Amino acid sequence: MNYEVYRNTTLGNTLQECLDEMIQTNQITERLANRVLKEFDKSINQALASRVKTRYTFKGTLSTYRFCDNVWTLLFRQIEFKESQQDKIVAKNVKFVACDGKKDSAANLD
C-alpha cells in the first residue's frame, strides 16, 4: 500500500500546486493529475525504503499513543535523537505517524 502522507511535504505540496495549475489551464486532465500523484506516492515510498540508510536511536517520554485504521500515532515529550557517533538532538515535542510498510500487491495506478 502506498500512503499519501508525503503529499504534505514541501515536494508533495509543490507537485500538487503544479498539477492544479496545469488542470486549470487545461494542459492535463484531473484523471492524469491523480495518476501522477499516485505514482509520486509509490515512488517516494520506494525511494525512502531502499535509499535511506541512516539510523537514529531515540529516547523520550511517550505522552500519547493511538492505533486507528492500521496507523500508529505516537506523541513524545522531551525526546533525544542520536545518530551513531553524532551529538544528540533534543526536541520538546515530536509526533510520529507509522504505517504498515508492507507492499500491497493489489495497489495499481488505475
Side-chain angles (χ1 to χ4, degrees), residues 85-100:
Q85 302 300 321
Q86 302 295 324
D87 292 334
K88 291 179 188 175
I89 300 170
V90 179
K92 188 175 183 179
N93 296 301
V94 173
K95 178 180 180 179
F96 287 100
V97 178
C99 308
D100 185 1

Side-chain angles (χ1 to χ4, degrees), residues 3-108:
Y3 293 98
E4 300 176 359
V5 293
Y6 300 108
R7 290 187 188 183
N8 291 327
T9 63
T10 302
L11 183 60
N13 286 328
T14 303
L15 175 61
Q16 288 183 69
E17 289 172 11
C18 289
L19 292 171
D20 288 342
E21 184 177 316
M22 292 176 84
I23 291 169
Q24 291 174 2
T25 59
N26 294 321
Q27 293 177 315
I28 64 171
T29 64
E30 197 169 322
R31 184 174 182 208
L32 179 57
N34 287 332
R35 288 191 65 170
V36 169
L37 286 171
K38 286 182 182 181
E39 184 62 34
F40 170 76
D41 297 335
K42 179 181 169 186
S43 297
I44 196 80
N45 280 286
Q46 287 176 345
L48 291 173
S50 64
R51 295 183 185 171
V52 177
K53 303 296 181 209
T54 305
R55 300 284 186 232
Y56 282 87
T57 57
F58 63 90
K59 178 172 56 171
T61 303
L62 179 63
S63 72
T64 307
Y65 65 92
R66 83 180 130 262
F67 183 71
C68 181
D69 295 332
N70 212 26
V71 176
W72 280 100
T73 303
L74 308 164
L75 302 172
F76 284 88
R77 290 179 298 142
Q78 293 296 51
I79 189 166
E80 297 177 352
F81 294 92
K82 187 169 182 182
E83 178 190 357
S84 57
Q85 302 300 321
Q86 302 295 324
D87 292 334
K88 291 179 188 175
I89 300 170
V90 179
K92 188 175 183 179
N93 296 301
V94 173
K95 178 180 180 179
F96 287 100
V97 178
C99 308
D100 185 1
K102 296 177 183 173
K103 292 186 179 186
D104 183 4
S105 60
N108 59 35

